[in-house]
Amino acid sequence: MYRLAAEKELTDEKLGQFLQQHTEESTFRYKRLLDAYMTDYPIFYEPPKPNWKPDNRIAVNFAKYIVDTMNGFFIGHPVKLSVDEGNDEVEKYVEFLDQYNDQDDNNAELSKICSIYGKGYEMYYVDEIGNIGITYLTPMDAFMIYDDSVLCRERYFVRLYRDADDVLHGSVSDDTKVRWFVQKGEIIWEKDDKIHGFDGVPATEYVENEEKMGIFEPVLTMIDAYNKAISEKANDVDYFADAYLKILGPKLEDDEVKHIRDDRIMNFEGAIDGAIPEVDFLQKPNGDTTQENLINRLERLIFQISMVANISDENFGTSSGIALKYKLHAMSNLEKTKERKFASGMNRRYRLIFSNPVSHTKGIKADDFVKVHPHFTPNFPANVLEESQIAGNLEGIVSKETQLGILSIVNNAKDEINKLEAESSERETDAVMRSMFGVNANGQ
């Protein structure tokens, strides 16, 4: 974590230290995590074996599988935002922000970044046409500087990028303005800065967990071991396919060896000098059982320690109902932790956005952010029949909104209630019209 005492300003010297620290962290940690997700593993950089030995390099990308599976489970259903009743302007403005910034996709990408690196960033700005923009950044592109208090208040947000000449450019945002710099041996500041208008540092750090660890980071060494084991397994298969032919007894000429190799036929007439020819293949000791045990154990441990279910397992699809939820219990617990961290980040998102004068022109007050509530729906395999039975059993016990919220096929319980009320009103009108005039409300 990047810390700076509340009473100290960010000097060029201190910023340079932070930039060096970020470079080291990106090089030795974040790049390794990204490489794993992108199927770039150490197995590909092992010293080459002699030409006469098989040298397979196989990588099974558990890292990508774990991230994408968890991401689909956590945010496969987009985050739903509800606004307290009687706040139509706030609700419309939140819908506009989400549509304008394609926020469903932003949320999904930000969630994936957090799963890979353990944390990710969201930055806010006013765009060229005067609307508030939201974008996401990886920890390789930015970092947040906090004060040294127990509350870890945000003090500065630093965004970085390199141009075509590999020169480092960046911006530093505090709670009032944004400044830009270039690093060419020393930090050179641009003359102009800009007031950003947000009541605080205009960025949010989202975290996967309190420790800021990537979801596959604890099992990365096991993934490397798995790749090495399965590569050696492939080497053994090649070895046995190309085993040397052993012939004891006769001395074969070169043309005879070529004839055996090409026609795959051997024919010896009886004993040679009293000895019966012996023909078979040279084989090294078979370690197949040991290899298979290691590979299977590593695979089980990878999914067990990462707490992400192996939904591709052939036995997984045969489970249903409560048994399926038990299989997904560990991943569900992991999802709940991520959900709370993500909701915290979203709370800061709307607090900052609603503090900007651009939002005030839309009739939004700074404290309206407390009226926005995110709702997450884990992407469990849906059993609509079971859901409908549960919803039916809740009739008269809970509110209509809670009852309809049980159904995965209902995207917005409030909208569904409004539709039900409209249909009920229409049926009542039709009944009255038919009883009085013999026609329905449409005159038919």
Side-chain angles (χ1 to χ4, degrees), residues 109-151:
E109 290 301 318
L110 184 57
S111 170
K112 184 174 77 174
I113 288 170
C114 289
S115 291
I116 295 172
Y117 301 101
K119 63 181 178 181
Y121 297 99
E122 194 173 65
M123 187 173 72
Y124 317 109
Y125 58 95
V126 178
D127 65 17
E128 63 278 1
I129 62 173
N131 288 322
I132 290 180
I134 307 172
T135 190
Y136 54 84
L137 297 163
T138 75
M140 298 183 74
D141 305 317
F143 60 90
M144 186 78 77
I145 302 173
Y146 297 89
D147 69 13
D148 57 357
S149 72
V150 69
L151 297 177

Side-chain angles (χ1 to χ4, degrees), residues 81 94 97-98 103 107 124 134 345-355 366 368-369 372 374:
L81 296 173
V94 169
L97 283 172
D98 282 4
Q103 202 55 37
N107 289 338
Y124 317 109
I134 307 172
M346 293 181 71
N347 187 52
R348 176 177 166 82
R349 172 199 296 171
Y350 291 107
R351 181 176 69 79
L352 286 169
I353 290 175
F354 287 8
S355 72
D368 280 340
F369 75 93
V372 181

Side-chain angles (χ1 to χ4, degrees), residues 223-428:
I223 296 174
D224 290 338
Y226 186 99
N227 291 338
K228 187 174 182 179
I230 202 166
S231 296
E232 290 299 332
K233 180 74 172 175
N235 289 340
D236 284 350
V237 171
D238 284 354
Y239 172 84
F240 285 112
D242 295 330
Y244 285 94
L245 181 66
K246 178 182 70 175
I247 301 176
L248 300 180
K251 170 70 174 174
L252 302 181
E253 302 295 334
D254 289 345
D255 60 337
E256 292 177 309
V257 172
K258 183 177 183 301
H259 173 72
I260 293 172
R261 183 189 64 202
D262 294 343
D263 297 339
R264 301 184 185 280
I265 296 175
M266 258 179 288
N267 183 20
F268 297 112
E269 297 180 5
I272 299 176
D273 295 332
I276 299 176
E278 180 182 341
V279 179
D280 61 7
F281 285 94
L282 286 173
Q283 294 185 7
K284 67 177 182 178
N286 187 351
D288 184 71
T289 303
T290 302
Q291 290 173 334
E292 285 298 322
N293 286 340
L294 175 62
I295 289 171
N296 291 336
R297 178 170 294 186
L298 283 171
E299 183 174 342
R300 285 195 304 270
L301 284 173
I302 287 169
F303 287 109
Q304 180 181 342
I305 302 303
S306 69
M307 297 174 67
V308 173
N310 181 10
I311 59 177
S312 299
D313 186 86
E314 59 184 8
N315 296 321
F316 198 88
T318 60
S319 304
S320 61
I322 192 67
L324 183 61
K325 291 198 172 184
Y326 273 122
K327 285 180 177 290
L328 294 171
H329 184 65
M331 189 161 68
S332 180
N333 290 339
L334 203 62
E335 185 274 338
K336 289 300 179 186
T337 299
K338 182 165 183 168
E339 182 180 312
R340 288 189 288 270
K341 298 299 183 184
F342 212 86
S344 177
M346 293 181 71
N347 187 52
R348 176 177 166 82
R349 172 199 296 171
Y350 291 107
R351 181 176 69 79
L352 286 169
I353 290 175
F354 287 8
S355 72
N356 193 283
V358 171
S359 299
H360 299 166
T361 63
K362 310 290 185 181
I364 305 300
K365 294 181 291 186
D367 60 355
D368 280 340
F369 75 93
V370 299
K371 301 170 183 176
V372 181
H373 310 284
H375 299 280
F376 300 83
T377 307
N379 195 10
F380 284 104
N383 186 336
V384 180
L385 175 61
E386 183 179 344
E387 291 174 353
S388 64
Q389 291 171 343
I390 294 172
N393 292 336
L394 293 175
E395 181 70 36
I397 300 175
V398 298
S399 68
K400 203 72 174 175
E401 184 176 349
T402 302
Q403 184 182 9
L404 291 174
I406 296 293
L407 302 174
S408 59
I409 59 174
V410 175
N411 292 323
N412 190 308
K414 286 185 178 179
D415 289 347
E416 198 67 25
I417 291 171
N418 292 336
K419 291 177 184 178
L420 285 171
E421 291 175 349
E423 290 176 358
S424 177
S425 177
E426 184 178 344
R427 285 195 297 269
E428 290 176 1

